[in-house]
Amino acid sequence: MARAPTTFDSFNAIAEPRRRAIIESLIGKEMTVNQVVETMGWNQPMVSKHLGVLKQVGLVSERKQGRYRVYKVNAAQLKPIQEWVIQFEQYWMNSLDHLENYLNEIQSIEVKDE
Amino acid sequence: MARAPTTFDSFNAIAEPRRRAIIESLIGKEMTVNQVVETMGWNQPMVSKHLGVLKQVGLVSERKQGRYRVYKVNAAQLKPIQEWVIQFEQYWMNSLDHLENYLNEIQSIEVKDE
DNA sequence: TTGACATATTCCTTTATAGGAATATATTAT
DNA sequence: ATAATATATTCCTATAAAGGAATATGTCAA
């Protein structure tokens, strides 16, 4: 059996970094495909394809306006991911990992300051 | 170019439902491979393979104890995912979607109470 | 030492990419 | 009607995956 399609759910769709980048730049705005193309600096078919995947899982929705298609993010589709991850938060808070990260941060700040 | 390997990062690793299930049942505990096998009801090679992927991205770590291997979750590896998703929270809160969900919750509670 | 137990690895098959290049479709402007 | 613009789709290739079955590896017990 192959891996689940990227069009299957949000978990699979956002596994691809370019799709996360699209979501990041499209959040809170509405954008035409070409505006995404310009923002990202990728070729148009690539943008259309990734938008297509995001659309299939409902992470973006599209509205036709003349010859343009205006896309926007459906943030609600990210909620299940948030809910899945958040149940483990207590296990990374107050942990040795946390302490470790904290110490690393302190250290890197000190290094930066020198 | 093919999709990024599931061993590439946490985003890819948790795109697979079985791996999320393993994390869910392994969180906060330590378990032997066979204990995971029993818990999940899958065959042993399958469990070992998925644990292997999770290990490669650091989502679990493993400790040898005699002929057993004891696995545990490294929850800290989920933090980047949480941090990525949480930046969009404001866009699903206070939205019509939110209102809709709220109304649905109310309704299902009322139905339950009957 | 030899067998039993615990776990990992290999081989195979099917499926699904993601990107590039080329092309098709739809809509507006002249 | 025709050209130009905006976007989607198709075809191709290389890569990677997940599961099943079989087998290898490592460790303990008698």
Side-chain angles (χ1 to χ4, degrees):
Chain A
M1 200 180 287
R3 208 196 308 194
T6 54
T7 53
F8 183 68
D9 63 16
S10 299
F11 282 95
N12 280 282
I14 68 161
E16 165 62 45
R18 291 186 131 109
R19 285 194 286 266
R20 292 201 299 279
I22 287 180
I23 292 173
E24 288 165 19
S25 75
L26 197 60
I27 188 75
K29 319 184 184 85
E30 289 196 328
M31 273 200 216
T32 268
V33 175
N34 263 342
Q35 287 175 323
V36 178
V37 168
E38 283 169 30
T39 305
M40 294 294 142
W42 308 333
N43 60 63
Q44 177 267 314
M46 191 162 109
V47 169
S48 281
K49 283 180 203 167
H50 282 304
L51 282 173
V53 170
L54 291 172
K55 194 171 106 184
Q56 284 209 52
V57 300
L59 273 168
V60 304
S61 59
E62 165 235 18
R63 171 168 56 87
K64 282 178 94 164
Q65 184 154 24
R67 60 178 148 174
Y68 302 91
R69 310 243 183 144
V70 186
Y71 281 85
K72 69 173 176 186
V73 173
N74 278 344
Q77 282 303 115
L78 291 171
K79 209 177 163 187
I81 296 172
Q82 157 69 4
E83 286 171 347
W84 186 79
V85 176
I86 201 65
Q87 65 183 313
F88 307 113
E89 188 180 32
Q90 53 175 307
Y91 296 99
W92 75 68
M93 306 284 286
N94 316 321
S95 71
L96 281 182
D97 289 334
H98 188 232
L99 176 59
E100 231 174 74
N101 289 335
Y102 175 71
L103 293 177
N104 287 336
E105 275 169 29
I106 294 293
Q107 193 171 25
S108 64
I109 286 165
E110 280 172 354
V111 169
K112 266 188 201 158
D113 285 351
E114 281 168 11
Chain B
M1 202 179 286
R3 208 194 310 191
T6 54
T7 52
F8 183 67
D9 62 18
S10 299
F11 282 95
N12 280 282
I14 68 162
E16 164 62 45
R18 292 186 131 109
R19 283 193 287 267
R20 291 202 297 279
I22 288 180
I23 291 173
E24 288 165 18
S25 75
L26 197 59
I27 190 73
K29 318 185 184 87
E30 289 196 326
M31 273 200 215
T32 267
V33 175
N34 264 342
Q35 287 175 323
V36 177
V37 167
E38 284 168 30
T39 304
M40 294 294 143
W42 309 332
N43 60 63
Q44 176 266 312
M46 191 164 108
V47 170
S48 281
K49 282 181 203 167
H50 282 304
L51 283 173
V53 170
L54 291 172
K55 194 170 107 183
Q56 283 210 51
V57 300
L59 273 168
V60 304
S61 59
E62 165 235 18
R63 170 168 56 87
K64 281 179 94 164
Q65 183 155 24
R67 58 178 150 175
Y68 302 92
R69 309 241 183 147
V70 186
Y71 282 85
K72 69 172 178 189
V73 173
N74 277 343
Q77 282 303 114
L78 292 170
K79 209 178 162 187
I81 296 172
Q82 156 69 4
E83 286 171 348
W84 186 80
V85 176
I86 201 64
Q87 65 182 312
F88 307 113
E89 188 179 33
Q90 54 175 307
Y91 296 98
W92 76 67
M93 305 285 285
N94 316 322
S95 70
L96 282 182
D97 290 333
H98 187 231
L99 177 59
E100 232 172 74
N101 288 334
Y102 174 71
L103 293 176
N104 286 338
E105 274 170 29
I106 294 293
Q107 193 169 26
S108 64
I109 285 165
E110 280 171 354
V111 168
K112 265 188 202 158
D113 285 351
E114 280 167 15

